[in-house]
Amino acid sequence: MRYLDPKADLTFKRVFGEHPDLVMSFLNALLPLSPGQEVTEIEYLPVELVPDNPLRKNSIVDVRCRDNQGRIFLVEMQMIWSSEFKQRVLFNASKAYVRQLDTGENYELLQPVYSLNLVNDIFELDLDDEFYHYYRLVHTEHTEKVIEGLHLVFVELPKFTPQNYSDKKMQVLWLRYLTEINERTREVPKEFLANPELKKAVKALEESAFTDAQLAGYEKFWDIISVEKTLFSSAERRGMRRGLEEGMKKGLEEGKKEGIKEGIKEGIKEGKKEVARSLKMAGIPTAIIMESTGLSEVEIEDL
């Protein structure tokens, strides 16, 4: 039996966007929900229509749903990390929170929004052993004091390694599912088959369950992701190398360490410019280049 990777657009939406019982199990395992606050019933919400982004349209996969308490859950698979991703997650979660009320309605009707973001990349380089990151609004000195409303969770999938967490068995199983099952899988782990939800989720990935057209789209998805990664990484490397060379030269000339620091900063900026320059040559709209690189319209026009 051949299986597909659950992180792709086609498969992720098949598993979590068509099976309420599976997405409920997934949310209960991955979200920081208190005992008694587990998700017991959900309805899917339509995915918000956004302008077509030829650069990132295939690198983001999301599922939106609401439970019987009115809580909103945004689940997203991010294939490629970018510096503006956290801000975009905050923006989308805030927008979902605000849109719960019509003009004049009572603020007490607002329910929490949980944004669960699975990232197939490493972005917290200084936190070696931490793959799970939970953000919420807390008092800086008294962290037990919380303003309820937004809950943002980021999971760095490449950092995850299975361990014997007896109290987080389902979390480990679901993360293993996302990181271990793919086209190379020939034998499904017994732990998956022994669990009803995981067994069903694995079956949903069987190649025979998809049409030829769907399989062609699946292959295209990974081709596009590969191209995007190459584009960004090569541009960043060129920019960093150029910036470091200029920084070293400046530091030696001025006899100051500040020159090297400034060179590193310049290298990061040059990396973004290299990305923007490549996208501009490819005919990508300026607005999309601004979103992808963080550069201003003027900076892009001057390239």
Side-chain angles (χ1 to χ4, degrees):
M1 181 68 66
R2 183 172 182 263
Y3 299 92
L4 303 186
D5 193 314
K7 295 187 289 296
D9 178 270
L10 173 70
T11 47
F12 192 86
K13 289 180 178 176
R14 169 70 62 89
V15 174
F16 298 111
E18 298 181 11
H19 301 284
D21 55 332
L22 298 185
V23 77
M24 281 193 294
S25 174
F26 191 65
L27 292 172
N28 287 328
L30 271 294
L31 290 178
L33 301 173
S34 303
Q37 291 298 310
E38 293 85 358
V39 183
T40 58
E41 182 181 338
I42 64 114
E43 65 169 320
Y44 286 111
L45 301 174
V47 175
E48 185 173 307
L49 294 177
V50 295
D52 187 32
N53 183 333
L55 174 64
R56 296 290 178 83
K57 67 180 181 179
N58 287 298
S59 64
I60 301 170
V61 182
D62 63 346
V63 172
R64 297 164 181 253
C65 52
R66 176 170 51 210
D67 73 349
N68 52 357
Q69 298 181 40
R71 296 177 297 181
I72 296 174
F73 304 94
L74 312 178
V75 186
E76 183 167 311
M77 172 65 70
Q78 174 74 17
M79 298 304 300
I80 303 173
W81 177 257
S82 58
S83 58
E84 78 281 359
F85 180 61
K86 286 183 180 178
Q87 285 66 42
R88 186 173 62 76
V89 166
L90 177 60
F91 176 78
N92 288 337
S94 300
K95 187 164 57 174
Y97 186 73
V98 170
R99 287 184 174 177
Q100 294 180 69
L101 292 186
D102 292 326
T103 303
E105 288 188 315
N106 196 319
Y107 291 117
E108 293 179 355
L109 297 175
L110 288 167
Q111 294 296 318
V113 173
Y114 290 83
S115 178
L116 174 58
N117 304 278
L118 307 148
V119 184
N120 196 39
D121 206 345
I122 293 176
F123 57 91
E124 296 290 5
L125 299 177
D126 56 330
L127 302 177
D128 295 337
D129 300 323
E130 298 181 32
F131 67 89
Y132 188 96
H133 311 286
Y134 175 35
Y135 296 86
R136 57 179 178 165
L137 297 175
V138 300
H139 192 292
T140 57
E141 296 178 1
H142 306 280
T143 54
E144 74 281 1
K145 296 185 180 297
V146 181
I147 297 178
E148 289 295 341
L150 299 180
H151 301 263
L152 311 179
V153 175
F154 297 84
V155 179
E156 296 177 274
L157 292 177
K159 281 186 181 179
F160 168 74
T161 53
Q163 296 183 38
N164 184 25
Y165 295 120
S166 58
D167 59 332
K168 295 184 178 181
K169 177 182 177 181
M170 286 305 298
Q171 182 181 110
V172 171
L173 284 176
W174 276 118
L175 292 177
R176 285 186 59 193
Y177 170 81
L178 288 175
T179 55
E180 293 181 17
I181 302 296
N182 51 49
E183 297 87 348
R184 296 184 297 277
T185 300
R186 292 295 177 267
E187 185 175 348
V188 178
K190 295 180 180 179
E191 308 91 280
F192 292 5
L193 300 178
N195 182 280
E197 287 110 353
L198 270 296
K199 183 178 181 179
K200 182 176 179 179
V202 169
K203 185 171 180 59
L205 298 177
E206 292 178 359
E207 183 182 31
S208 58
F210 300 91
T211 66
D212 290 342
Q214 289 174 326
L215 293 174
Y218 173 85
E219 296 297 336
K220 183 179 179 182
F221 171 88
W222 290 114
D223 288 342
I224 293 175
I225 294 301
S226 178
V227 170
E228 289 184 12
K229 283 185 175 181
T230 301
L231 174 64
F232 276 84
S233 63
S234 62
E236 288 176 355
R237 283 197 301 271
R238 289 196 300 272
M240 283 294 292
R241 183 169 60 249
R242 183 186 303 173
L244 287 171
E245 290 172 354
E246 293 177 357
M248 288 294 290
K249 182 178 179 181
K250 184 177 179 181
L252 291 172
E253 290 175 351
E254 299 180 4
K256 297 178 181 179
K257 293 182 180 180
E258 286 301 317
I260 298 176
K261 292 181 181 179
E262 289 300 319
I264 294 174
K265 291 180 181 179
E266 185 64 26
I268 295 173
K269 189 171 184 179
E270 284 297 323
K272 293 181 178 180
K273 286 184 178 180
E274 288 287 346
V275 172
R277 188 176 290 108
S278 298
L279 298 178
K280 188 175 181 181
M281 292 176 64
I284 303 299
T286 300
I288 295 175
I289 300 176
M290 290 170 62
E291 177 188 347
S292 303
T293 63
L295 297 177
S296 69
E297 184 176 359
V298 174
E299 288 175 313
I300 294 170
E301 288 178 353
D302 288 342
L303 293 175

